[in-house]
Amino acid sequence: MVRRSRDIPQREQNETRMRRAWIWLNLSEKSESDDEKFIFLWIAFNAVYGAELPDTSDDDRITERDRLADFANKIVERDRERAIENMLWDSFSGPVRVLLENKFVFGPFWSWVQEREKPADKDWESKFKERKQRVLEALGRHDVSRVLEEVLARLYVLRNQIIHGGTTFAEGWGRDQLRDGRRIMETIMPLILQIMQDDIAKSPDSNVWGSLNYPRVGESERPE
């Protein structure tokens, strides 16, 4: 008999979530190209970040930015060793700063290029400068969640470019942001997974990480 999501214990969903993520992370370590590494790292991220969305009205629709911000807050709140903070501060003068200064991973820029911008995106350059200033201010007051949220938002744009066929494998333009994105992801993903693993170990039945989008619903003896 096939189970439905509501019949699957949260403990099992948490275990499945982490097992999937660690396997994709391990696969990324065996890959050689920036493209493959980034894709596998993003799948690992999606395994832990992706969850069922609550039912909302059109007026209360949750944006991807909202979800990234919520996830960043949850991670930072549970980061007892301040590993994310140390990583962002140590890397800021390198790949993190370069990524944040790259307009090609800034969503409003592409909305303007493709002429599908919202009114606020018409002046994307001012918005770009404003966003960078906010990150610098967040750094100054050690607002780790805000910095992590912005980094994840830029990486999400890079993810879209790759997954939607907007880049050429191993050649062409955009290699710099892909290299920097890969460096950030391969540094930050083990930290995120370990923070979540420790949190789940303390409270296996916690629903803080939400319900899986694609839980194991087949018979128990069936391999995933």
Side-chain angles (χ1 to χ4, degrees):
M1 180 178 179
V2 175
R3 298 178 298 173
R4 302 186 68 180
S5 295
R6 63 173 176 263
D7 301 322
I8 303 174
Q10 187 65 43
R11 178 185 299 240
E12 181 180 334
Q13 296 199 48
N14 288 336
E15 291 173 352
T16 299
R17 168 183 284 111
M18 298 311 303
R19 181 175 64 255
R20 290 170 175 174
W22 283 115
I23 288 174
W24 284 109
L25 178 65
N26 291 337
L27 184 57
S28 75
E29 295 171 351
K30 299 175 183 177
S31 304
E32 297 183 358
S33 73
D34 287 338
D35 309 72
E36 292 170 314
K37 281 181 176 294
F38 184 86
I39 290 170
F40 293 145
L41 285 162
W42 191 270
I43 296 175
F45 176 69
N46 242 116
V48 292
Y49 159 72
E52 285 186 340
L53 293 175
D55 292 332
T56 59
S57 66
D58 289 340
D59 292 338
D60 297 325
R61 192 163 42 208
I62 298 174
T63 67
E64 201 65 40
R65 183 80 188 212
D66 294 333
R67 297 181 68 194
L68 290 171
D70 180 63
F71 184 80
N73 285 330
K74 289 177 180 178
I75 288 295
V76 173
E77 285 175 2
R78 291 161 178 78
D79 185 7
R80 311 302 181 198
E81 303 299 322
R82 300 171 66 182
I84 298 295
E85 178 179 356
N86 293 333
M87 174 267 166
L88 290 173
W89 266 243
D90 291 343
S91 303
F92 191 80
S93 61
V96 172
R97 177 186 60 78
V98 173
L99 188 79
L100 293 174
E101 292 181 350
N102 190 328
K103 64 185 178 185
F104 297 110
V105 289
F106 186 59
F109 168 75
W110 288 110
S111 295
W112 175 78
V113 167
Q114 298 163 352
E115 298 184 313
R116 55 180 176 80
E117 73 272 11
K118 301 173 184 176
D121 294 339
K122 291 182 180 179
D123 191 13
W124 70 266
E125 290 180 283
S126 295
K127 198 170 186 179
F128 185 55
K129 294 176 182 177
E130 177 188 349
R131 198 73 64 78
K132 286 195 295 181
Q133 184 59 37
R134 287 184 184 176
V135 172
L136 291 174
E137 292 172 356
L139 277 169
R141 61 178 183 269
H142 285 257
D143 186 348
V144 185
S145 296
R146 181 68 185 82
V147 179
L148 178 59
E149 173 195 343
E150 190 64 37
V151 170
L152 292 176
R154 303 301 177 90
L155 291 171
Y156 182 75
V157 175
L158 179 59
R159 171 262 186 205
N160 287 344
Q161 291 177 348
I162 298 169
I163 298 301
H164 294 289
T167 62
T168 304
F169 179 77
E171 63 179 52
W173 295 353
R175 304 309 300 173
D176 289 345
Q177 59 255 39
L178 180 55
R179 180 200 62 227
D180 293 328
R182 183 268 301 166
R183 287 176 176 173
I184 295 170
M185 287 292 284
E186 69 182 2
T187 303
I188 206 168
M189 276 311 302
L191 303 180
I192 289 175
L193 296 193
Q194 193 59 59
I195 290 167
M196 293 183 66
Q197 190 77 64
D198 292 344
D199 183 67
I200 290 171
K202 292 177 182 177
S203 183
D205 299 308
S206 171
N207 63 359
V208 70
W209 305 110
S211 300
L212 290 173
N213 273 324
Y214 298 97
R216 294 184 64 178
V217 295
E219 294 77 3
S220 59
E221 69 272 16
R222 179 183 175 185
E224 186 173 307

